[in-house]
Amino acid sequence: MRKNIVAGNWKMNNSHSEAVQLVGSIVNSIYDDAVQLIVIPPSIYASEIAKITSLSQIEVGVQNSSQYESGAYTGELSSSMIKSIGVQYVLVGHSERREYFDEQNVTLALKVNQLLNDGLTPIYCCGEILEEREKKNHFNIIKNQLEEGLFHLNDNQIQSCIIAYEPVWAIGTGVTASSNQAQEIHHFIRGLLVDKYGVAIAESISILYGGSCKPSNATELFANPDVDGGLIGGASLSAEDFIAIANSFS
Ligand code: PGA
């Protein structure tokens, strides 16, 4: 059985004290313990956040990692460094990384490899921009992002990954994909996994929805058979909203 997961991507927000306070409130909240909660703070806080969550069931992630193993790569964080501070999850290819830092699928494939070599769990993000959807090219775009960044993995490796579908036009805009739109793409992604890895593996992989997910729409989104939770941006900066989303599985 695949896991239901709610992951909070804090992006480049919060001072140190705000970050500590936010995670403290989340740790002290009551939530459905069948759901895996993951907080994804800015990397500079991750070590401390991991200590604060260590006695809870909440896991910690970071928002990016290097495609290189170690050495003279100023400003970068390697997967082994991330592992060494007790962090298990890493976002790969968030649309903001793709757009503002020109991350390409080939580089993302290398990042995924480094993470898996160190026993970490990539959360591989895919999704189309509005123009691609309007041209009805979104299925091809998502297929390509998955094939080039993720589908080089073997049967064992792919089972250590989480996929997040995030339509770029829905991120931070307040516009959410409708429940049907989300299910349509999640079902499509699951079908690609079936074609490549077979039904049993495809059924074991969690596919999260991201893009203006909030307490008021999470229940409807998560009720879809192929939506296994959410990657939450803005609403994850409020402990109350984040926990309300985590409690939205029926
Ligand atoms: P949002 O962001 O919830 O603020 O739309 C989602 C994300 O980018 O992960």
Side-chain angles (χ1 to χ4, degrees):
M1 263 299 279
R2 57 184 182 259
K3 272 191 204 160
N4 286 332
I5 298 169
V6 172
N9 173 14
W10 298 359
K11 308 194 181 182
M12 197 171 74
N13 291 299
N14 281 342
S15 66
H16 172 262
S17 58
E18 287 165 342
V20 168
Q21 202 182 353
L22 175 56
V23 77
S25 304
I26 293 170
V27 166
N28 289 324
S29 300
I30 295 169
Y31 52 87
D32 178 353
D33 61 7
V35 179
Q36 177 63 63
L37 290 192
I38 306 169
V39 291
I40 311 180
S43 309
I44 195 167
Y45 309 140
S47 178
E48 190 172 356
I49 300 283
K51 284 188 193 127
I52 296 170
T53 57
S54 62
L55 293 177
S56 74
Q57 290 177 29
I58 296 165
E59 294 277 352
V60 180
V62 290
Q63 300 167 19
N64 185 30
S65 62
S66 176
Q67 68 268 39
Y68 301 112
E69 194 176 335
S70 67
Y73 300 102
T74 301
E76 291 293 286
L77 295 175
S78 73
S79 52
S80 62
M81 293 173 185
I82 293 164
K83 187 178 174 87
S84 72
I85 59 164
V87 163
Q88 178 60 32
Y89 296 86
V90 180
L91 294 181
V92 179
H94 187 280
S95 64
E96 288 149 17
R97 302 286 324 164
R98 291 176 185 266
E99 182 180 354
Y100 305 127
F101 302 95
D102 199 27
E103 292 194 354
Q104 307 289 330
N105 294 329
V106 280
T107 310
L108 302 177
L110 298 175
K111 293 187 180 209
V112 166
N113 293 346
Q114 290 293 347
L115 295 170
L116 293 175
N117 281 343
D118 282 305
L120 297 180
T121 307
I123 304 177
Y124 185 85
C125 304
C126 59
E128 79 285 359
I129 62 172
L130 186 58
E131 200 186 346
E132 291 159 347
R133 179 169 277 265
E134 282 172 349
K135 287 187 181 149
K136 306 211 181 331
N137 199 23
H138 48 304
F139 292 103
N140 282 335
I141 294 290
I142 291 159
K143 184 166 185 247
N144 193 46
Q145 289 170 340
L146 291 167
E147 283 181 348
E148 292 186 359
L150 208 56
F151 284 4
H152 61 288
L153 299 178
N154 65 30
D155 287 9
N156 278 335
Q157 291 170 319
I158 193 76
Q159 292 179 77
S160 299
C161 297
I162 296 167
I163 295 172
Y165 167 61
E166 300 201 300
V168 180
W169 46 271
I171 296 179
T173 57
V175 181
T176 321
S178 70
S179 176
N180 288 345
Q181 283 172 323
Q183 170 58 21
E184 181 184 39
I185 300 292
H186 282 234
H187 183 70
F188 172 70
I189 294 172
R190 185 99 49 213
L192 295 175
L193 288 166
V194 171
D195 293 347
K196 173 80 185 161
Y197 298 102
V199 177
I201 291 177
E203 288 293 330
S204 73
I205 295 175
S206 299
I207 307 176
L208 313 183
Y209 169 79
S212 298
C213 185
K214 40 189 182 273
S216 58
N217 57 30
T219 306
E220 197 186 346
L221 286 162
F222 296 173
N224 287 301
D226 289 298
V227 178
D228 306 310
L231 178 55
I232 319 301
S236 74
L237 296 172
S238 150
E240 199 186 327
D241 285 355
F242 186 59
I243 295 298
I245 293 170
N247 288 334
S248 295
F249 293 89
S250 33

